[in-house]
Amino acid sequence: YASIKKKVLLIDCDMRNPSVGKELGIIKPKGLADMIMAERGEGKDYQDYIYKINEYFDVIPSGFRPPNPSEMVSSKRLEQII
């Protein structure tokens, strides 16, 4: 989709085996897990978690590997973020 100049935001929600950041060469990324765990005031600036790959392709990697990925994916906080 990005190749036809449409904006794309890829969100890596695989918190058990995060791979998108690694595949794109993003070293130790802050990502979705960090967004979910951030305090409301602290985590408001979502731009801190978005990595611009090119003009049309942005990524939010999974972030750190949490001990409770299924709880995080089903959390109310993730619903608010999305």
Side-chain angles (χ1 to χ4, degrees):
Y1 211 58
S3 68
I4 59 171
K5 299 184 178 179
K6 303 288 184 182
K7 289 289 284 179
V8 173
L9 174 63
L10 173 64
I11 303 173
D12 184 1
C13 293
D14 186 353
M15 293 186 197
R16 287 192 174 119
N17 186 25
S19 60
V20 172
K22 188 185 319 178
E23 287 295 320
L24 294 172
I26 302 170
I27 312 260
K28 293 191 178 182
K30 289 193 298 185
L32 186 60
D34 304 277
M35 290 172 77
I36 293 169
M37 294 301 295
E39 296 297 321
R40 288 199 188 279
E42 174 185 319
K44 285 280 188 191
D45 190 2
Y46 296 138
Q47 294 300 316
D48 291 343
Y49 305 98
I50 298 173
Y51 295 81
K52 189 169 203 56
I53 304 304
N54 64 41
E55 185 178 356
Y56 300 101
F57 184 44
D58 297 333
V59 173
I60 298 176
S62 179
F64 74 93
R65 188 177 296 171
N68 56 346
S70 58
E71 288 177 30
M72 292 185 86
V73 171
S74 62
S75 71
K76 191 75 168 163
R77 179 84 169 118
L78 178 60
E79 186 177 320
Q80 293 168 343
I81 291 167
I82 299 297

